[in-house]
Amino acid sequence: MFDVIIVGAGPAGLSAALYAARSEMDALVIERFAPGGQLLNIGVVENYPGNFRDERNSFSGYELAQKMHQQAEQCGAYFRIGTVEAIQKEENRFAVRIAGEETLYARAVIVATGAKHRLLGIPGEKEFTGAGVSYCAPCDGPFFKGKKIFVAGGGDSACDEAHYLSRFSPEIVLVHRRDHFRAQKALADRVLNNPKIKVEFNTRILEIRGREKVYSVMLEQNGRQFETAADAVFVCVGIEPEYFPVPELVRDESGFIVTDQTMLTSIPGLFAVGDVRASPFRQIVTAAGDGAVAVHSAVAFVDSFSG
Ligand code: NAP
């Protein structure tokens, strides 16, 4: 029996693992792929405090993930690969079933399963995913050196990714459906001041066209529809929570898990942290903060069993 099982090893789960291990809890992290979560898709992490090599260079998301993982493991947290397919609350514990493997038990569970990309849902998007349509600039940007690249969205991700892609091409078109960005001002200003990025407000991508790979997009702008050449479309239109197998949890209208300020969900002993949690602002630093707060609450919960 573990004190706490943490499901997911993105920054929220890794921070929870560190804090749990340092609180002398028996803590197990279960992760489907590799530690890091969405960190693994970030080329350069510029806004995580202290994460810089020198005044010009920050570490990559991959490097930060490795450091977080190593630190939690060195402090005594256990890690294993597996997909959690069911969690059941029993009288004084949770039964956590790993697909194709055993069932493990813990006094408390911290859900840190994160979020995934939302789709545009337009013709051509699915057909050309991997053949010009992408959701990850650091993963696929280098394939489009010198090419005409469209980016869809108006939030932090779209601005971040457009700026990152301008390393590879002088011809980036950022298409946003509104007349202003949703992104933080610093990220929006960086895009607006980047000569390699053309911003098209009040514009939607209606269709992605191609033959084996993308060759154009159909746009709608001020009621006018037209086709224009494109080599790639990076879709950055938000996130939705990863599925978590406890249907009775209270969620918001978009499916994110609702917690109180101690990270407690609607089920005593079950906490949620990071991008899977209903929250107004999602950053690496807020995910890490969530992990620390959840452990603080979980320690009190677990201690209540020892009287
Ligand atoms: P987001 O903030 O939800 O923004 C999504 C954008 O996509 C919005 O501008 C939205 O338009 C647009 N959109 C949504 N559905 C669309 C559709 N069907 N067609 C066209 N446009 C559509 O999502 P995000 O930018 O992925 O960011 C997610 C979270 O991660 C945020 O909390 C963000 O702060 C965080 N993040 C932070 C950083 C950073 O600090 N460096 C980087 C990346 C992400 P409307 O504006 O019209 O709704």
Side-chain angles (χ1 to χ4, degrees):
M1 168 101 97
F2 290 94
D3 290 322
V4 62
I5 288 180
I6 298 159
V7 187
L14 291 172
S15 159
L18 172 67
Y19 272 78
R22 283 176 53 81
S23 305
E24 298 285 314
M25 293 178 107
D26 271 334
L28 172 71
V29 183
I30 305 174
E31 162 62 44
R32 266 187 311 178
F33 306 118
Q38 292 179 72
L39 275 181
L40 302 178
N41 299 335
I42 302 177
V44 181
V45 177
E46 291 171 312
N47 56 359
Y48 189 74
N51 184 57
F52 68 101
R53 246 184 275 273
D54 54 49
E55 69 278 7
R56 290 190 153 268
N57 294 303
S58 299
F59 287 103
S60 69
Y62 175 75
E63 288 169 308
L64 181 58
Q66 279 200 317
K67 288 199 284 178
M68 285 183 170
H69 175 212
Q70 232 172 21
Q71 191 182 14
E73 208 163 40
Q74 276 172 8
C75 287
Y78 301 101
F79 285 80
R80 69 179 281 175
I81 297 289
T83 300
V84 171
E85 65 176 10
I87 294 188
Q88 211 138 21
K89 169 108 185 173
E90 299 178 347
E91 201 179 340
N92 277 333
R93 64 183 188 176
F94 289 90
V96 179
R97 198 168 77 225
I98 304 180
E101 297 180 47
E102 74 225 89
T103 295
L104 300 171
Y105 298 91
R107 289 281 189 215
V109 168
I110 298 178
V111 186
T113 45
K116 60 186 174 199
H117 300 292
R118 191 183 287 147
L119 304 186
L120 267 175
I122 56 172
E125 182 179 18
K126 281 203 175 136
E127 293 89 314
F128 295 110
T129 292
V133 175
S134 171
Y135 300 83
C136 174
C139 317
D140 298 329
F143 297 128
F144 299 102
K145 280 196 180 123
K147 302 286 187 187
K148 185 166 182 188
I149 303 175
F150 281 76
V151 177
D156 288 346
S157 300
C159 289
D160 244 4
E161 304 250 312
H163 181 74
Y164 183 79
L165 288 165
S166 72
R167 291 163 170 233
F168 306 108
S169 170
E171 217 182 347
I172 311 292
V173 185
L174 177 49
V175 172
H176 182 34
R177 63 186 178 183
R178 287 186 201 278
D179 62 0
H180 59 276
F181 284 126
R182 175 190 290 270
Q184 302 165 56
K185 191 172 180 312
L187 302 184
D189 284 350
R190 196 167 62 175
V191 159
L192 292 167
N193 294 324
N194 185 331
K196 295 178 183 171
I197 304 174
K198 186 174 176 198
V199 179
E200 297 286 7
F201 287 116
N202 298 313
T203 306
R204 287 172 185 273
I205 302 180
L206 298 178
E207 184 180 345
I208 299 165
R209 295 183 174 170
R211 198 172 296 114
E212 290 176 8
K213 57 184 187 175
V214 170
Y215 62 63
S216 73
V217 287
M218 274 296 295
L219 298 182
E220 183 182 64
Q221 193 170 52
N222 304 320
R224 193 170 71 90
Q225 295 186 3
F226 58 98
E227 185 173 7
T228 182
D231 298 300
V233 179
F234 283 77
V235 179
C236 308
V237 295
I239 53 173
E240 44 193 53
E242 283 287 355
Y243 173 70
F244 186 71
V246 182
E248 63 272 30
L249 274 175
V250 173
R251 294 165 203 255
D252 70 7
E253 65 283 355
S254 305
F256 293 97
I257 299 171
V258 173
T259 70
D260 66 11
Q261 61 179 358
T262 71
M263 306 299 145
L264 180 63
T265 68
S266 50
I267 298 176
L270 187 59
F271 302 86
V273 295
D275 281 4
V276 76
R277 180 174 92 81
S279 137
F281 195 44
R282 293 187 175 86
Q283 302 282 298
I284 304 165
V285 72
T286 57
D290 282 4
V293 173
V295 169
H296 182 70
S297 317
V299 166
F301 181 81
V302 170
D303 281 354
S304 69
F305 290 100
S306 48

